[in-house]
Amino acid sequence: DAKTTQPTSMDCAEGRAANLPCNHSTISGNEYVYWYRQIHSQGPQYIIHGLKNNETNEMASLIITEDRKSSTLILPHATLRDTAVYYCIVRTYRDDKIIFGKGTRLHILP
Amino acid sequence: EAEVAQSPRYKITEKSQAVAFWCDPISGHATLYWYRQILGQGPELLVQFQDESVVDDSQLPKDRFSAERLKGVDSTLKIQPAELGDSAMYLCASSQRQGANEQYFGPGTRLTVT
């Protein structure tokens, strides 16, 4: 079973920041938080991952709370192409298996 | 940019028939994965290869599903006989090594069993 809880769906206006929450209250000390997204009719795409520090790359930022029980993926300036299902995943660095939940369906509104 | 290739993209077959899917991972990627994704759910791992060896096939229905990666490069997933409940998206992914940060996914094969 997935170790994370995410809202089923969210809306965000185009050009605004999209903030996607994820709860992982049972996360272990050696487990990372990963985010993938899946645009309709495509395979999942890696976005970002982190352990305890906030992370940023060209796609998004990841904010992890100090107790590591929750995190937020931030898409700073959402576009229509960001409409997708976003998956929050917890796994160890050496653990190959990705256990996907149902994710959050993000709708970017024009 | 290198991509994982899959074919066919779409397949319609009748129940009890055999069906096969092909995957060509990113060049140099030692680890290859097959996932199944039922509509409305996240992908579920079916089988994982490290080079030509199966590392994990605990979720593969072995009475009807088989997978091979004979030369440690491309891979084939077969279903025989297909059942109505096998209708799903079949995704292939690869990574440079076990435990690597990123798995790179192909576009998938959409299977419909009638």
Side-chain angles (χ1 to χ4, degrees):
Chain A
D1 290 339
K3 299 180 181 180
T4 62
T5 304
Q6 299 177 252
T8 301
S9 66
M10 293 182 61
D11 292 337
C12 178
E14 188 177 17
R16 304 297 295 271
N19 297 277
L20 292 93
C22 179
N23 287 323
H24 31 78
S25 58
T26 61
I27 192 170
S28 301
N30 63 344
E31 289 182 316
Y32 288 69
V33 180
Y34 285 76
W35 285 83
Y36 280 75
R37 74 178 182 184
Q38 187 172 23
I39 295 171
H40 182 63
S41 296
Q42 297 183 21
Q45 175 191 23
Y46 165 84
I47 301 173
I48 199 168
H49 76 282
L51 182 62
K52 55 183 178 180
N53 296 322
N54 298 338
E55 302 288 344
T56 296
N57 62 21
E58 65 279 4
M59 291 183 66
S61 295
L62 174 61
I63 308 298
I64 303 174
T65 58
E66 192 169 343
D67 63 7
R68 303 208 323 123
K69 292 185 177 182
S70 66
S71 61
T72 301
L73 179 75
I74 301 172
L75 307 178
H77 304 287
T79 71
L80 296 178
R81 290 176 294 181
D82 293 320
T83 293
V85 177
Y86 287 76
Y87 297 99
C88 172
I89 296 150
V90 166
R91 61 188 281 225
T92 63
Y93 188 73
R94 293 188 59 81
D95 185 6
D96 280 318
K97 183 173 290 188
I98 297 179
I99 299 176
F100 290 87
K102 292 188 176 181
T104 295
R105 187 170 297 276
L106 176 67
H107 299 276
I108 305 301
L109 306 175
Chain B
E1 183 175 302
E3 296 180 342
V4 176
Q6 289 189 248
S7 67
R9 290 294 311 276
Y10 304 91
K11 180 70 178 178
I12 300 174
T13 191
E14 294 182 348
K15 63 180 181 180
S16 79
Q17 295 298 305
V19 64
F21 315 127
W22 176 79
C23 171
D24 190 12
I26 293 172
S27 178
H29 280 196
T31 311
L32 184 145
Y33 313 80
W34 283 102
Y35 289 83
R36 177 172 60 186
Q37 185 172 24
I38 296 170
L39 193 63
Q41 299 183 19
E44 175 190 25
L45 181 68
L46 290 175
V47 61
Q48 176 188 341
F49 290 91
Q50 180 65 27
D51 299 311
E52 67 277 6
S53 300
V54 173
V55 173
D56 183 354
D57 63 357
S58 57
Q59 300 302 311
L60 189 70
K62 299 180 189 61
D63 57 335
R64 298 184 301 106
F65 285 65
S66 65
E68 59 183 17
R69 193 184 183 198
L70 294 177
K71 298 182 179 179
V73 181
D74 58 341
S75 175
T76 302
L77 178 69
K78 297 178 181 177
I79 307 175
Q80 183 175 14
E83 296 180 353
L84 295 178
D86 296 332
S87 293
M89 175 78 83
Y90 290 84
L91 293 158
C92 179
S94 69
S95 64
Q96 285 186 317
R97 62 189 185 280
Q98 285 182 281
N101 288 346
E102 302 176 40
Q103 292 185 16
Y104 295 83
F105 285 79
T109 296
R110 168 79 59 191
L111 173 68
T112 301
V113 182
T114 62

